[in-house]
Amino acid sequence: MSIEDTIKDQIKNNPILIYMKGNPNQPQCGFSARATQMLMTCGQKFAYVDILSNPEIRANLPKVSEWPTFPQLFVDGELVGGCDIMTEMFEAGELKQLLDDSAAKRSAQA
Amino acid sequence: MTVADSIAHKVQQALNPTVLALENESHMHSGPRTDSHFKLVVVAEHFQGMSKVKRHQALYKLLDTELNGPVHALALHLYTPEEWKHSSVPDSPLCSSKN
């Protein structure tokens, strides 16, 4: 499978997915740290990919997503944005709403 | 032309903003003061009808050269004039090495 297909698969198969530097317990960048703190505060389960230990993903994701920086949050297959957009949405209560809606859709299907 | 001048010039030309604020935040990060970390606030009619992601993608495209060169982090806060009336700009986080 090409690296681009791997990335598309990850995005498709993980309804709440963040590409970040480090992991949620040991983020390696202030922007990734804030992004995961917000996700944890919102309280829904999420998946993460550490791009520092996956250099191929780090090099190729920006082409797939048309987004050059990290972190990048995907919900239900769509790019939500990076730390700045997440912060604006979080402060407006929109991030929690989006994540709760996504989780509700899945429990309705189950 | 400095990196900051070049960013400000491009945004001015492309978006004709009503507010353009560019801050060098490189001091919030580890290492010597550089032209590596910036925060950019833009208020422009141009953003009307565009999602947040589309707005950011437009800026990333515009500043492609800078982002592939000296700029390591670019915090973007992009508003229409109407949204700007009700907005406050969030602070950027410190780099992990400065936490």
Side-chain angles (χ1 to χ4, degrees):
Chain A
M1 198 191 292
S2 78
I3 186 71
E4 278 168 28
D5 287 337
T6 304
I7 291 170
K8 285 177 188 160
D9 252 38
Q10 289 173 340
I11 294 171
K12 195 170 131 217
N13 294 326
N14 295 283
I16 302 175
L17 173 66
I18 186 162
Y19 290 92
M20 65 180 293
K21 293 183 179 174
N23 65 60
N25 293 321
Q26 285 184 307
Q28 299 297 317
C29 156
F31 292 90
S32 288
R34 179 184 283 178
T36 44
Q37 270 163 14
M38 290 186 288
L39 287 182
M40 289 188 272
T41 305
C42 287
Q44 296 296 346
K45 227 169 52 171
F46 62 93
Y48 73 91
V49 174
D50 174 8
I51 55 137
L52 296 180
S53 44
N54 292 280
E56 263 201 300
I57 290 179
R58 181 183 193 168
N60 287 282
L61 176 61
K63 284 179 240 161
V64 176
S65 60
E66 295 179 64
W67 196 269
T69 58
F70 298 94
Q72 299 187 20
L73 175 68
F74 289 83
V75 175
D76 296 334
E78 293 281 335
L79 175 64
V80 173
C83 182
D84 300 326
I85 290 180
M86 287 177 68
T87 303
E88 289 176 12
M89 292 179 70
F90 181 76
E91 288 177 359
E94 294 164 14
L95 186 64
K96 184 167 168 43
Q97 191 65 53
L98 177 73
L99 301 176
D100 287 352
D101 287 352
S102 166
K105 256 184 276 173
R106 278 188 299 287
S107 56
Q109 282 163 8
Chain B
M1 198 188 280
T2 65
V3 177
D5 288 343
S6 150
I7 293 174
H9 180 76
K10 281 190 179 175
V11 172
Q12 188 67 47
Q13 292 290 312
L15 302 175
N16 189 29
T18 52
V19 176
L20 195 175
L22 180 64
E23 202 180 322
N24 188 334
E25 295 189 321
S26 305
H27 62 279
M28 287 164 68
H29 305 271
S30 52
R33 188 179 168 88
T34 55
D35 283 336
S36 59
H37 292 66
F38 291 93
K39 173 174 173 173
L40 179 64
V41 179
V42 181
V43 180
E45 279 294 350
H46 183 85
F47 296 135
Q48 190 66 50
M50 292 167 76
S51 70
K52 288 177 198 282
V53 167
K54 293 275 178 234
R55 295 177 194 185
H56 280 240
Q57 282 170 332
L59 267 288
Y60 287 141
K61 205 168 189 181
L62 182 67
L63 302 173
D64 184 51
T65 317
E66 287 74 14
L67 283 164
N68 280 312
V71 177
H72 167 78
L74 179 65
L76 292 173
H77 299 284
L78 313 171
Y79 307 96
T80 63
E82 189 53 36
E83 292 163 355
W84 178 242
K85 289 180 200 162
H86 316 286
S87 295
S88 62
V89 177
D91 289 331
S92 300
L94 293 173
C95 235
S96 52
S97 53
K98 283 239 173 176
N99 275 339

